[in-house]
Amino acid sequence: MGILEVKNLTLRFGGVVALDDVSYEVKEGEIFSLIGPNGAGKTSMLNCISGLYRPNEGSIQFKDSPITNLKPYKRASLGIARAFQNIELFPHLSVLDNLMLGRHVRMKTGVLAGGVFFGKAQREEIEHREKVEQVIDFLEIEHIRNTPVGTLSYGLQKRVEVGRALSLEPDLLLLDEPMAGMNTEEKEDMARYIIDIHEEMQTTIVLIEHDMGVVMDLSDHIAVLDFGKLIGYGTPNEIQNNQKVIEAYLGEENTV
Amino acid sequence: MKNPFVMDCGEFHVNYKQDMRIWKIARVRWRVFLLIAVFALLPLISSDYLIGLATLCGIAAIGAIGLNILTGFTGQISIGVGAFLGVGGYTSAILTAKLGLSFWLAMPMAGIITAIVGGLFGLPSLRLKGLYLAIATLAAQVIILFIISRWDAVTGGTAGLVLSRPEIGNFAFYSERSYYYLMFTILVLTTIFTLNLFRSRVGRAFIAVRDRDIAAEVMGIDLFKYKVLAFVVSSFFIGIAGALLGHYTMIVSPEMYSITVSIEYLAIILVGGLGSVFGSIYGAVFITLLPVVLRAGVELLSGVFPELSAVLIGLKEVAFGLVIILFLIYEPQGLAKIWKNIKDYFKLWPFSY
Ligand SMILES: Nc1ncnc2c1ncn2[C@@H]1O[C@H](COP(=O)(O)OP(=O)(O)O)[C@@H](O)[C@H]1O
Ligand SMILES: [Mg+2]
């Protein structure tokens, strides 16, 4: 059963058709990769899923209920989390606070309880702090726990951004080029984290990534976008042998 | 010898509760208690004049913390503070003088009513940002002041209303000293509440809205709700400050709440430090005392140059503008940052490099 179902999605910006009648489904518990050249519409697709863009046509279903018209914050509380292509962390806050923000929808403390910070509010803070510490352990960022995020290296910021999304304990995790701009070692680490997230937490992952080696290794299914159109869908093996994909995207440089 | 400015290393927090404390280090906690004790004991040895000034500083600090919650922490600019102080002052005046309610009920009510009014005028913040929001809050300032000065039957029009000092049983807070303690208690409570707020869920959401609203929304923060909430919480404290000020001066009238006051409060949080609770207090002291110090200086000089005083009358506004510009250029993070720099300097002292 598909945890996410995208049907006939079309998104236009004036004359530009960023997404053109795209349909696919993401199965529960899989790693699903979206690939395609720059400007193909991959980020636009994630923006539609997380609610930042409203598609002109089509619908999106998450866990069998339509979310096409929901505001982004509601989708987060349904269990959709995201790491952005261009880092969107809260730069003045520490790593810890960024991750605690990831738990916003899982917490309840309001203004009054928070301001008094006694009893229940304090217990809740501790309880969620424990969850966040698990994510910190998992991503091996203990040493920068209290560092303001803005001062961290690019690679670490990318990792913290994944951590913030993970702190939400999402059912669907959207990762927009989490390895872009990283060196080989950082890339390998990130690939390992993604595999671990998938195996240990059974989180469904939608991954956008340019490194074909990583994509082929990690993915259960792959969808290929080109100029907003879905030109291929299938297992890594099927994609590697899909003539249309080879022509449009993999081209000569990645001879398969 | 132990350098008194040096932090101990080897402070380990063995559980999250300890690590979440506002002041994690025992020495810092003691210093804060000491500071509170000093300010609690100060009026016992000061003149009434100084205590009065300190009271005004403290009331401004409560209002400034309120404004900082909105502007410094949530990134929503407001130039309606003057009018919101007025809402607080008038609410308490009407409730006590006209309806005979006790101050102890009227003051929290003033906070709540101002919070509601603030929330209403915060509604445009969903659509408006930056300068546009500033203009919308300017509209609040103008509308509220218009109502205050024209609704004679309720507000006493331009003449205003007379208030009395609060009482507990037979004791009335008439002396400077007693009112100082009242202000001080509320300032301490406001400070603790705000510090707590920003180490818990809602405060973090405010900061997230300020830093990156898109990411905040994708993380599950309802932008509209939290922006309006920031207006509400902020206006509550401004309303409390307004009520405290009204009962201190024992009169409320429209000219006390002009746009100049709004700008003074913006100056306070700019000079003190945007997004800093203690900065709000430093800024309030600085901006409240600035004209007092200037006046004293002018008086001193006018003995020597009698014709100078006429020129220096207008100095207050000039000094104000100058201070704001200097801070914006040289230390945009305000007094709070300067204080931190001084502390950091002494931490390394005498090996500063
Ligand atoms: N907010 C926007 N306004 C106008 N055009 C946009 C906007 N977002 C994306 N586009 C356009 O949509 C197309 C797809 O962009 P994008 O989704 O970022 O591609 P990808 O992530 O695959 O590189 C591009 O032509 C881009 O210029
Ligand atoms: Mg992209």
Side-chain angles (χ1 to χ4, degrees):
Chain A
M1 188 64 245
I3 188 171
L4 182 77
E5 288 170 48
V6 174
K7 288 201 187 104
N8 308 105
L9 210 67
T10 297
L11 175 71
R12 284 184 285 264
F13 295 102
V16 179
V17 185
L19 295 169
D20 190 355
D21 197 28
V22 179
S23 305
Y24 61 89
E25 70 168 42
V26 178
K27 296 188 169 53
E28 185 148 13
E30 73 170 342
I31 296 184
F32 175 94
S33 288
L34 260 180
I35 63 172
N38 277 324
K42 305 179 297 294
T43 299
S44 298
M45 176 56 78
L46 289 203
N47 283 344
C48 288
I49 298 171
S50 50
L52 295 174
Y53 290 168
R54 202 51 60 88
N56 299 81
E57 283 151 45
S59 68
I60 303 172
Q61 288 212 337
F62 178 61
K63 296 194 226 170
D64 293 326
S65 52
I67 58 165
T68 325
N69 293 314
L70 289 186
K71 292 235 177 207
Y73 75 91
K74 288 241 171 86
R75 302 184 195 207
S77 59
L78 291 178
I80 301 179
R82 163 160 187 195
F84 291 86
Q85 178 175 358
N86 305 311
I87 295 164
E88 290 272 355
L89 291 165
F90 307 109
H92 304 293
L93 293 178
S94 66
V95 170
L96 203 52
D97 281 337
N98 267 276
L99 299 201
M100 285 300 280
L101 264 158
R103 292 204 64 77
H104 183 85
V105 298
R106 303 276 177 235
M107 300 175 75
K108 288 199 189 65
T109 305
V111 174
L112 282 181
V116 178
F117 205 76
F118 208 72
K120 218 166 137 198
Q122 198 175 37
R123 278 200 303 278
E124 185 183 64
E125 196 75 11
I126 291 171
E127 190 184 303
H128 289 262
R129 171 76 185 267
E130 278 160 8
K131 297 269 187 199
V132 160
E133 289 289 344
Q134 286 169 11
V135 173
I136 288 178
D137 277 354
F138 183 82
L139 293 178
E140 299 165 300
I141 45 178
E142 298 90 343
H143 56 298
I144 50 166
R145 196 190 267 122
N146 293 312
T147 315
V149 162
T151 63
L152 296 174
S153 71
Y154 178 83
L156 277 177
Q157 291 198 21
K158 278 278 195 197
R159 206 189 294 179
V160 173
E161 175 131 344
V162 172
R164 184 180 63 181
L166 211 53
S167 301
L168 195 142
E169 289 184 272
D171 297 321
L172 178 64
L173 178 62
L174 311 172
L175 301 175
D176 197 345
E177 305 198 15
M179 302 168 206
M182 287 184 164
N183 61 36
T184 316
E185 192 187 334
E186 288 173 325
K187 267 188 186 175
E188 280 170 5
D189 284 344
M190 183 58 79
R192 190 163 47 79
Y193 292 133
I194 293 174
I195 295 171
D196 287 351
I197 293 168
H198 178 241
E199 285 183 353
E200 290 178 26
M201 308 175 193
Q202 281 82 43
T203 312
T204 311
I205 297 173
V206 173
L207 173 69
I208 297 179
E209 182 47 49
H210 282 298
D211 187 320
M212 280 311 122
V214 171
V215 169
M216 296 300 163
D217 275 357
L218 261 55
S219 313
D220 296 303
H221 286 98
I222 299 171
V224 189
L225 285 174
D226 191 29
F227 292 109
K229 284 199 175 66
L230 186 74
I231 58 164
Y233 171 87
T235 60
N237 210 359
E238 287 164 350
I239 291 297
Q240 276 169 326
N241 297 313
N242 182 322
Q243 207 50 44
K244 252 165 113 184
V245 175
I246 294 171
E247 278 165 27
Y249 180 61
L250 298 173
E252 309 94 59
E253 40 182 334
N254 290 43
T255 325
V256 185
Chain B
M1 193 192 77
K2 211 172 150 187
N3 181 339
F5 295 100
V6 173
M7 286 300 160
D8 298 315
C9 59
E11 281 269 352
F12 292 110
H13 306 118
V14 294
N15 62 39
Y16 297 137
K17 190 168 165 180
Q18 279 178 9
D19 197 39
M20 281 171 0
R21 281 181 170 158
I22 303 181
W23 295 292
K24 289 181 197 170
I25 298 165
R27 283 167 47 80
V28 178
R29 275 200 302 281
W30 279 111
R31 211 182 301 158
V32 169
F33 284 130
L34 199 73
L35 211 67
I36 292 180
V38 166
F39 278 101
L41 296 176
L42 207 62
L44 300 178
I45 52 164
S46 309
S47 69
D48 271 2
Y49 174 68
L50 285 181
I51 300 173
L53 279 180
T55 306
L56 287 175
C57 289
I59 294 174
I62 296 167
I65 291 174
L67 179 62
N68 225 336
I69 291 175
L70 179 67
T71 303
F73 283 103
T74 320
Q76 311 297 304
I77 191 163
S78 163
I79 34 185
V81 190
F84 291 145
L85 278 171
V87 174
Y90 271 91
T91 303
S92 199
I94 293 164
L95 290 179
T96 54
K98 297 213 159 185
L99 302 178
L101 241 62
S102 138
F103 166 86
W104 307 106
L105 265 174
M107 183 186 61
M109 282 298 289
I112 291 168
I113 300 278
T114 313
I116 294 169
V117 174
L120 282 177
F121 281 104
L123 292 178
S125 63
L126 177 64
R127 290 291 160 84
L128 304 178
K129 282 184 183 174
L131 211 50
Y132 297 96
L133 182 61
I135 299 298
T137 57
L138 180 63
Q141 169 78 30
V142 173
I143 294 169
I144 292 171
L145 218 61
F146 180 83
I147 295 174
I148 285 177
S149 45
R150 296 301 169 86
W151 197 7
D152 290 36
V154 177
T155 64
T158 46
L161 292 171
V162 174
L163 296 84
S164 54
R165 289 281 173 95
E167 294 168 359
I168 297 180
N170 289 329
F171 178 79
F173 287 75
Y174 273 110
S175 70
E176 291 290 346
R177 194 171 292 158
S178 62
Y179 209 85
Y180 172 90
Y181 281 120
L182 175 62
M183 173 286 296
F184 187 66
T185 310
I186 295 172
L187 176 59
V188 169
L189 291 177
T190 303
T191 305
I192 292 174
F193 185 95
T194 311
L195 288 173
N196 278 336
L197 186 66
F198 287 100
R199 59 175 178 152
S200 62
R201 177 173 173 268
V202 175
R204 276 193 299 262
F206 283 166
I207 296 173
V209 170
R210 175 194 70 190
D211 280 358
R212 293 223 193 270
D213 50 354
I214 291 179
E217 202 177 7
V218 169
M219 294 320 300
I221 293 164
D222 180 351
L223 291 185
F224 184 50
K225 178 178 155 191
Y226 279 91
K227 283 181 183 178
V228 173
L229 193 60
F231 269 93
V232 168
V233 177
S234 154
S235 305
F236 176 81
F237 290 116
I238 295 171
I240 295 285
L244 274 177
L245 186 64
H247 287 274
Y248 180 66
T249 57
M250 294 196 277
I251 183 161
V252 289
S253 66
E255 77 270 7
M256 289 167 63
Y257 306 115
S258 66
I259 180 120
T260 320
V261 177
S262 301
I263 292 170
E264 258 174 42
Y265 272 83
L266 281 174
I268 289 176
I269 60 168
L270 270 176
V271 166
L274 289 173
S276 161
V277 178
F278 287 103
S280 317
I281 302 176
Y282 308 149
V285 173
F286 188 92
I287 296 290
T288 310
L289 296 187
L290 184 65
V292 178
V293 172
L294 280 177
R295 204 177 326 116
V298 170
E299 270 163 23
L300 217 71
L301 281 177
S302 62
V304 192
F305 312 101
E307 65 284 9
L308 209 63
S309 61
V311 182
L312 293 177
I313 294 285
L315 198 71
K316 184 186 157 192
E317 270 71 27
V318 176
F320 235 84
L322 205 63
V323 163
I324 295 177
I325 291 170
L326 287 178
F327 266 97
L328 285 180
I329 295 174
Y330 291 108
E331 190 46 89
Q333 298 187 53
L335 290 168
K337 184 66 196 299
I338 292 177
W339 175 231
K340 188 173 173 295
N341 288 347
I342 293 173
K343 280 197 300 193
D344 287 350
Y345 176 81
F346 278 111
K347 247 185 235 175
L348 297 176
W349 187 84
F351 307 107
S352 301
Y353 292 98

